[in-house]
Amino acid sequence: MLILRLAVYLILACSNVMLIGQDVAIGSWKSFAPYHNAIAITQNSQQIFWATDLSIIIQEKSDNSVRFISKENGLSDANISAIKHSPTDDALVVVYKNSNIDLILNGETVNLNFIQTNTNLTGDRSIFNISFDGNFAYLSTAFGIVELDIPNAEFRTTIFTGIAVNDTKAWNGALYAATDDGIYIVQNDGSVNTSDFSEWKRLGALDGFPEDYTADAIAVFNNNLYCSLDNSIYRHEDNTLLDIYSDPGLTTQYIAPGSSHLIVGYDCGNCTGSVIFIDSEDSVLQAGANCVARPLGAI
């Protein structure tokens, strides 16, 4: 049943499905935001959040009813690039293409424009990914990693890496950063200064990794570390990389752990991509061939 539900969500995410509710009277619209064409999806136990460029659709799982949030009624900006729901706090992190951020917390929207407006930041400020560790969110950016304290709605630490960070994961008391120069790791138990990137260690041959590789994304599933290296999926165990899946020509867009499967989304530029599910035995199910990959979050 879980795989069936995942497949249904994939079909909805990958199709230009109109999700407008039937109970809205003609003429009552105040905006004409494109409520189809979801570009990012995340969820909690009760709701599914679909993001378009200009709005967020909140779909109730209990009855499939929907409501919308846009700049007119709650968001501070437009041109959304990513959303992610915190599994610890009832909070939704919304990232915009201009690096502005909204935190929807306890039904209120708090605008956090530190990355967008900080004059001490130079160059590319793009935000590539969002991950969580307890009450903290880690934003993977073009200049490093930014730690967001969700309950207090404030940024706590900025780690300037000197290289773009594609993805960040907190696991087993350590922080992992996936970059174009490989995966870096640092203990996050207070024993070292995590904001000093010279304290981080690059995983190489002694750790079972190639000497030269690009890390596109990382995730923890079934208490194992999975990573996309040069767009191939591996599981790292006992200083060994186990090859799980590869599809030449496709680019990894995300790895999202679900309750029973790891979800991997691909695209290949202007053509179509695919979505696969990996179970706890590392068996692969091709679930979305010829479907534009969408970031599904932890479905």
Side-chain angles (χ1 to χ4, degrees):
M1 290 298 294
L2 177 62
I3 291 298
L4 177 61
R5 191 179 74 175
L6 290 170
V8 170
Y9 289 159
L10 282 169
I11 292 169
L12 290 174
C14 299
S15 304
N16 292 337
V17 178
M18 188 66 70
L19 296 173
I20 298 174
Q22 298 297 316
D23 58 342
V24 180
I26 295 175
S28 65
W29 293 96
K30 293 184 179 179
S31 68
F32 295 91
Y35 292 120
H36 57 301
N37 261 349
I39 59 171
I41 303 173
T42 186
Q43 71 165 340
N44 61 23
S45 61
Q46 299 174 327
Q47 300 162 316
I48 303 172
F49 304 88
W50 310 68
T52 73
D53 281 342
L54 302 177
S55 60
I56 296 174
I57 307 162
I58 302 175
Q59 179 182 0
E60 299 293 336
K61 293 181 180 180
S62 60
D63 59 7
N64 289 325
S65 63
V66 296
R67 57 189 174 94
F68 312 105
I69 304 175
S70 68
K71 193 173 181 180
E72 293 183 348
N73 66 343
L75 299 181
S76 69
D77 214 329
N79 296 316
I80 299 169
S81 63
I83 61 173
K84 190 70 72 71
H85 190 276
S86 165
T88 301
D89 304 283
D90 186 18
L92 186 69
V93 179
V94 183
V95 172
Y96 299 93
K97 292 178 182 178
N98 62 4
S99 302
N100 195 12
I101 297 169
D102 278 343
L103 177 64
I104 303 177
L105 179 65
N106 299 323
E108 300 291 332
T109 299
V110 181
N111 181 235
L112 303 169
N113 60 5
F114 166 79
I115 295 176
Q116 180 193 31
T117 62
N118 192 329
T119 57
N120 292 322
L121 296 176
T122 60
D124 191 353
R125 306 181 187 207
S126 299
I127 302 171
F128 302 127
N129 218 321
I130 310 163
S131 64
F132 297 98
D133 181 32
N135 298 122
F136 297 97
Y138 291 97
L139 307 178
S140 304
T141 76
F143 57 86
I145 302 168
V146 179
E147 185 182 54
L148 171 62
D149 182 331
I150 295 176
N152 293 310
E154 62 183 17
F155 294 107
R156 191 172 76 162
T157 303
T158 300
I159 304 166
F160 293 98
T161 58
I163 50 177
V165 178
N166 300 317
D167 200 0
T168 306
K169 179 61 62 178
W171 184 53
N172 277 354
L175 280 178
Y176 293 78
T179 77
D180 287 347
D181 187 43
I183 294 177
Y184 287 79
I185 181 175
V186 69
Q187 292 303 308
N188 195 29
D189 56 6
S191 60
V192 297
N193 180 12
T194 58
S195 62
D196 181 359
F197 196 60
S198 67
E199 298 279 0
W200 291 59
K201 170 192 172 184
R202 182 182 182 274
L203 299 181
L206 294 178
D207 310 290
F209 287 81
E211 282 296 344
D212 184 19
Y213 67 98
T214 294
D216 313 294
I218 50 178
V220 174
F221 171 66
N222 199 31
N223 204 33
N224 287 300
L225 183 70
Y226 287 79
C227 49
S228 172
L229 309 182
D230 301 319
N231 295 308
S232 295
I233 306 301
Y234 297 88
R235 175 163 59 88
H236 186 243
E237 181 180 358
D238 297 329
N239 287 337
T240 302
L241 281 180
L242 303 176
D243 193 350
I244 305 301
Y245 182 80
S246 180
D247 193 341
L250 297 184
T251 301
T252 305
Q253 293 300 297
Y254 61 87
I255 305 177
S259 58
S260 62
H261 288 76
L262 187 70
I263 308 164
V264 184
Y266 293 97
D267 76 17
C268 53
N270 295 324
C271 61
T272 56
S274 63
V275 176
I276 65 168
F277 297 123
I278 301 173
D279 67 16
S280 58
E281 302 297 323
D282 290 336
S283 296
V284 175
L285 171 64
Q286 190 87 26
N290 299 318
C291 173
V292 176
R294 304 292 189 185
L296 296 181
I299 288 179

